[in-house]
C-alpha cells in the first residue's frame, strides 16, 4: 500500500475526531514515514509495518478520547473511551453484561432513594405546617346520650356516681354511658332496671329476661343457655362475652343492641338509641377498638371513621381528616431515602474509580501496541 493511500484511509477513519486532532495525527505519521524512507526503507515495507489503517484509527481514537477524558473527567467522555475500547474488542462480554445490570440497579437505587427523600421532605414540611397552623389532636372523642332533662343538681350527682363507678370498675370497657349494661373484663354485666327486657342469642340458645318490678321472668330455649347466666351478690346478672352472638336490652328510655361481627367476642356492632330519637352506632374490631362511630341527634349527625370526622347539622357539612399517621410514614421515608442516596453515591465513587483504572490499563495496552508498530 502506498503512503498516500494509507494516509487517506487513516484520515477517513479518524473523521469523528476534531479536525485539529486529525491533522496532528496525520502530520506525525507523515513525519514517521518520511524519516523511515530517508533511512533507506521501502515505502511499502514501512506502510505494511503500520498495519491496517482501520484498526490503527480505532487505537488512535481510543488514545485521543482517553486524553480528552483526562483533560475533562466527565461521564460522557468516559463513555466515549469505553466505546472506543469496546470497538477494539478489549472488553470482556462476560463481564460487560453483569456490569450493565449493576448500572441499571444503581440507577433504580438513585430513583427510589430520591423519591423517598422527596416524600420525606414533603411529610416534614406538612407536619411542620400542622404544628404551626393547627395539628389534628389524638385521643378519644367522648360522647353521651342524655335521655333525661334532669336538673343541674341531678346531673352533678349522676356525674359523681359515674366517676365512682369508673373508679370501682377499672376494666369497664362499655361503649357510651349506659345504666343497665357494663362490660367488665370478659363478661357482660346487666343491672336490669324496672320494666326492662333483655334478649340474648348465645351459642347454646336464646334467653329472655323480663324485670317486672320485684320479679325476674326467664325464658330460654335450653337449660344450657339458662345456666350461662350468673347472678352476682349485688343483684346483677352476667354472661361471658364469647358466649353471646347478639344482645338487645330495652328499658324505659333507651335501647341497646349488639351483634358480633366475627368469631372474636370483642368485635361487633353496637347500636344505642333513646326514645327521643338520639342514636349512636359503633363498630369495633377484634381488639375492641372502635373504628367507626356514627351519632345522630335530631338533624345533627357526627360520623367518625378511618381518621376522618364528618359533622352535619342538616344544612352544612364539615369534614376533618386527621392524617398524622401518613405524615409519620413520610417522615420515616426521609432517613431511608437519605441513607439510600448516601449508599448510591458511595457505590458510584467506587465504580468511577474502578472504571478509571480499568480504562487506563486498556489504554496502556493500546499505547504499547502503537509504540511497537512505530519501532518495527
Amino acid at each position: 500500500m502506498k503512503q498516500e493511500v494509507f494516509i487517506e484511509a487513516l484520515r477517513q477513519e479518524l473523521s469523528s475526531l476534531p479536525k485539529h486532532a486529525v491533522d496532528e495525527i496525520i502530520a506525525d505519521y507523515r513525519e514517521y514515514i518520511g524519516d523511515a524512507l530517508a533511512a533507506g526503507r521501502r515505502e511499502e515495507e514501512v506502510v505494511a509495518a503500520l498495519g491496517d489503517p482501520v484498526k490503527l484509527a480505532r487505537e488512535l481514537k481510543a488514545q485521543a478520547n482517553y486524553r480528552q477524558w483526562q483533560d475533562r473527567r466527565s461521564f460522557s467522555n468516559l463513555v466515549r473511551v469505553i466505546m472506543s475500547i469496546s470497538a477494539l474488542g478489549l472488553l470482556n462480554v462476560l463481564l460487560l453484561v453483569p456490569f450493565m445490570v449493576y448500572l441499571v440497579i444503581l440507577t433504580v437505587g438513585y430513583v427510589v432513594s430520591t423519591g423517598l427523600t422527596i416524600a420525606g421532605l414533603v411529610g416534614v414540611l406538612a407536619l411542620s405546617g400542622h404544628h404551626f397552623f393547627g395539628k389534628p389532636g389524638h385521643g378519644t372523642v367522648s360522647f353521651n346520650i342524655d335521655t333525661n332533662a334532669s336538673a343541674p343538681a341531678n346531673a352533678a350527682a349522676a356525674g359523681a356516681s359515674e366517676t365512682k363507678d369508673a373508679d370501682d370498675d377499672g376494666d369497664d370497657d362499655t361503649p357510651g354511658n349506659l345504666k343497665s349494661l357494663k362490660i367488665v373484663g370478659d363478661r357482660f354485666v346487666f343491672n336490669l332496671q324496672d320494666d326492662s327486657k333483655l334478649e340474648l342469642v348465645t351459642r347454646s340458645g336464646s334467653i329472655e329476661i323480663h324485670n317486672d318490678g320485684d320479679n325476674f321472668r326467664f325464658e330460654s330455649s335450653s337449660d344450657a343457655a339458662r345456666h350461662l347466666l350468673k347472678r352476682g351478690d349485688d343483684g346483677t346478672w352476667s354472661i361471658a362475652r364469647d358466649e353471646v352472638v347478639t344482645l338487645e336490652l330495652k328499658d324505659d328510655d333507651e335501647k341497646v343492641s349488639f351483634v358480633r361481627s366475627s368469631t372474636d367476642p370483642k368485635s361487633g356492632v353496637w347500636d344505642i338509641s333513646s326514645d327521643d330519637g338520639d342514636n349512636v352506632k359503633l363498630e369495633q374490631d377484634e381488639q375492641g377498638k372502635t373504628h367507626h362511630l356514627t351519632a345522630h341527634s335530631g338533624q345533627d349527625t357526627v360520623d367518625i371513621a378511618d381518621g376522618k370526622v364528618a359533622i352535619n347539622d342538616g344544612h352544612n357539612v364539615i369534614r376533618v381528616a386527621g392524617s398524622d399517621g401518613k405524615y409519620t410514614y413520610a417522615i420515616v421515608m426521609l432517613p431511608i431515602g437519605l441513607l439510600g442516596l448516601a449508599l448510591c453515591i458511595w457505590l458510584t465513587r467506587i465504580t468511577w474509580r474502578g472504571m478509571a483504572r480499568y480504562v487506563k490499563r486498556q489504554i496502556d495496552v493500546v499505547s504499547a501496541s502503537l509504540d511497537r508498530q512505530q519501532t518495527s
Side-chain angles (χ1 to χ4, degrees), residues 71-324:
D71 294 337
R72 183 171 176 269
R73 296 208 169 197
S74 65
F75 181 75
S76 58
N77 286 339
L78 181 60
V79 170
R80 290 192 186 96
V81 178
I82 294 175
M83 295 301 294
S84 300
I85 294 174
S86 64
L88 295 172
L90 297 177
L91 286 179
N92 192 332
V93 177
L94 295 178
L95 295 178
L96 181 61
V97 173
F99 180 71
M100 296 303 295
V101 173
Y102 163 76
L103 289 181
V104 171
I105 295 175
L106 185 60
T107 303
V108 172
Y110 267 111
V111 173
V112 173
S113 299
T114 302
L116 290 175
T117 302
I118 294 174
L121 288 174
V122 171
V124 170
L125 293 175
L127 185 58
S128 300
H130 277 293
H131 276 297
F132 284 113
F133 304 110
K135 174 184 173 184
H138 292 286
T140 304
V141 179
S142 60
F143 65 93
N144 180 25
I145 299 179
D146 187 3
T147 58
N148 292 304
S150 304
N154 292 337
S161 175
E162 290 166 9
T163 303
K164 182 178 183 301
D165 291 341
D167 293 337
D168 293 340
D169 298 327
D171 296 331
D172 188 359
D173 193 26
T174 313
N177 181 24
L178 307 177
K179 297 181 296 182
S180 303
L181 169 64
K182 289 188 179 297
I183 300 175
V184 181
D186 60 351
R187 300 186 71 82
F188 288 117
V189 179
F190 308 101
N191 184 16
L192 300 182
Q193 308 296 315
D194 293 344
D195 299 324
S196 61
K197 176 183 177 182
L198 173 64
E199 297 180 1
L200 297 169
V201 175
T202 70
R203 294 190 297 179
S204 301
S206 61
I207 305 172
E208 288 189 13
I209 306 177
H210 300 264
N211 185 356
D212 296 331
D214 295 331
N215 298 318
F216 289 96
R217 181 161 50 89
F218 293 90
E219 296 180 10
S220 62
S221 61
S222 67
D223 291 338
R226 170 66 180 82
H227 290 305
L228 294 175
L229 282 170
K230 304 297 181 183
R231 184 73 181 268
D233 295 336
D234 56 355
T236 60
W237 297 86
S238 68
I239 187 172
R241 293 177 67 176
D242 58 357
E243 296 289 345
V244 177
V245 179
T246 65
L247 175 156
E248 185 174 288
L249 175 62
K250 299 178 182 178
D251 59 18
D252 55 348
D253 54 10
E254 65 184 12
K255 172 185 173 183
V256 180
S257 65
F258 170 78
V259 178
R260 189 192 295 186
S261 57
S262 72
T263 57
D264 193 288
K266 291 185 178 181
S267 65
V269 179
W270 289 89
D271 194 305
I272 308 169
S273 59
S274 62
D275 290 343
D276 56 6
D278 293 342
N279 173 265
V280 174
K281 185 176 181 180
L282 306 95
E283 297 180 17
Q284 294 180 317
D285 57 19
E286 286 78 2
Q287 287 75 39
K289 296 180 180 179
T290 301
H291 61 83
H292 189 189
L293 182 150
T294 305
H296 299 275
S297 180
Q299 291 185 330
D300 299 335
T301 302
V302 177
D303 187 272
I304 304 174
D306 300 326
K308 299 178 182 179
V309 180
I311 304 173
N312 188 344
D313 64 355
H315 303 285
N316 301 304
V317 179
I318 299 176
R319 292 184 174 87
V320 180
S323 51
D324 278 3

